[in-house]
């Protein structure tokens, strides 16, 4: 389907219906937030590789992208770019990620704010969690300098055009038993879904951290 069709309420509800059916009676906000975790991970992780590791600007704005969905699960499988990314067109990481962040994530988040009554900051925190992981992995496995470059996406208070960076400040460092962990500022609500564990150390809500511990304990039995 074309990406922009996802912002049509009827189309969105049809696509997400199989995913929502797995959580009957659950709070719809938690369901859609959980769905967005699948969506943004599928979008952001490969896009970060293009922009940060390969130095390319992936053409992934929502209105220039086609999306392949798993119709039985209601989750995205892949994104089809309208053109081939080219290296060297822009030098700044904010510019290279602009189609993904402002042209895609921002448009979808604006839609979900109204349609699913979800906080934009919660949804941006869902983006930030996967972006942070991708940046750390690029630094760990490719080049340590890439992590510092990619951190600008999460830490800079302003974007290249001077507008407010919606990702800024959504992750913080906390110490736990001598280890430093990245923690979300806002909970993704996944702990409210039956059978789904919390985010562990990443979760800002004690109940979310306990939910992950309970899930691990149940699997160990």
């Amino acid at each position: 389907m074309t990406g922009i069709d996802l912002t049509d309420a009827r189309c969105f509800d049809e696509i997400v219906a199989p995913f929502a059916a797995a959580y009957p009676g659950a709070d719809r906000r938690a369901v859609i937030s959980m769905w967005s975790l699948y969506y943004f991970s599928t979008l952001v992780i490969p896009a970060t590789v293009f922009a940060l590791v390969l130095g390319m600007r992936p053409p992934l704005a929502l209105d220039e992208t086609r999306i392949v969905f798993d119709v039985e699960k209601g989750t995205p499988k892949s994104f089809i770019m309208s053109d081939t990314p080219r290296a060297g067109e822009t030098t700044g990481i904010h510019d290279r990620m602009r189609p993904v962040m402002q042209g895609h994530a921002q448009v979808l988040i604006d839609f979900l704010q109204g349609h699913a009554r979800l906080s934009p900051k919660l949804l941006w925190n869902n983006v930030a969690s996967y972006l942070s992981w991708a940046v750390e992995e690029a630094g760990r496995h490719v080049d340590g300098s890439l992590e510092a470059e990619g951190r600008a996406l999460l830490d800079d208070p302003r974007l290249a055009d001077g507008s407010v960076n919606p990702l800024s400040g959504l992750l913080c460092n906390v110490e736990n038993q001598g280890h430093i962990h990245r923690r979300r500022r806002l909970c993704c609500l996944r702990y409210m879904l039956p059978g789904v564990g919390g985010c562990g150390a990443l979760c800002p809500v004690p109940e979310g951290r306990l939910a992950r511990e309970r899930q691990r304990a149940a699997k160990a039995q």
Side-chain angles (χ1 to χ4, degrees), residues 113-133:
Q113 177 185 6
H115 185 63
R117 297 184 179 180
L118 281 167
S119 160
K121 285 190 175 182
L122 181 155
L123 293 166
W124 277 116
N125 224 153
N126 289 355
V127 174
S129 298
Y130 291 110
L131 179 60
S132 177
W133 180 84

Side-chain angles (χ1 to χ4, degrees), residues 5-198:
D5 285 345
L6 197 59
T7 59
D8 177 84
R10 178 182 294 181
C11 180
F12 178 86
D13 289 343
E14 290 177 354
I15 287 290
V16 177
F19 184 85
Y23 307 101
D27 189 308
R28 181 170 171 77
R29 295 170 304 160
V31 172
I32 300 303
S33 177
M34 185 69 177
W35 176 88
S36 79
L37 290 170
Y38 284 94
Y39 188 95
F40 289 132
S41 66
T42 308
L43 173 69
V44 169
I45 293 173
T48 303
V49 174
F50 270 108
L52 188 59
V53 178
L54 303 179
M56 295 179 173
R57 192 176 199 244
L60 281 168
L62 194 60
D63 62 359
E64 62 181 2
T65 303
R66 287 183 292 160
I67 310 171
V68 179
F69 277 96
D70 184 327
V71 295
E72 293 183 355
K73 297 180 179 179
T75 53
K77 296 176 67 176
S78 60
F79 294 85
I80 302 174
M81 295 183 289
S82 60
D83 197 4
T84 303
R86 294 182 176 86
E89 289 186 343
T90 57
T91 56
I93 188 63
H94 286 296
D95 283 335
R96 294 200 297 274
M97 286 290 282
R98 184 194 298 268
V100 180
M101 295 300 165
Q102 289 155 280
H104 195 132
Q106 180 71 70
V107 177
L108 183 58
I109 287 171
D110 287 346
F111 166 74
L112 291 176
Q113 177 185 6
H115 185 63
R117 297 184 179 180
L118 281 167
S119 160
K121 285 190 175 182
L122 181 155
L123 293 166
W124 277 116
N125 224 153
N126 289 355
V127 174
S129 298
Y130 291 110
L131 179 60
S132 177
W133 180 84
V135 166
E136 289 175 1
E137 291 297 291
R140 181 179 296 114
H141 297 291
V142 182
D143 187 330
S145 66
L146 294 177
E147 182 172 359
E149 181 183 2
R151 281 289 160 208
L153 293 166
L154 296 152
D155 298 338
D156 286 354
R158 298 279 174 179
L159 300 175
D161 61 3
S163 60
V164 174
N165 179 6
L167 295 168
S168 180
L170 292 182
L171 296 174
C172 60
N173 290 328
V174 295
E175 184 176 353
N176 182 24
Q177 298 180 345
H179 298 283
I180 300 298
H181 300 280
R182 298 284 277 182
R183 180 167 291 173
R184 297 171 57 112
R185 295 283 188 187
L186 286 88
C187 178
C188 68
L189 308 180
R190 62 184 285 169
Y191 76 91
M192 298 170 63
L193 300 176
V196 177

Side-chain angles (χ1 to χ4, degrees), residues 200-211:
L202 184 65
C203 186
V205 178
E207 177 62 27
R209 296 194 292 274
L210 289 171

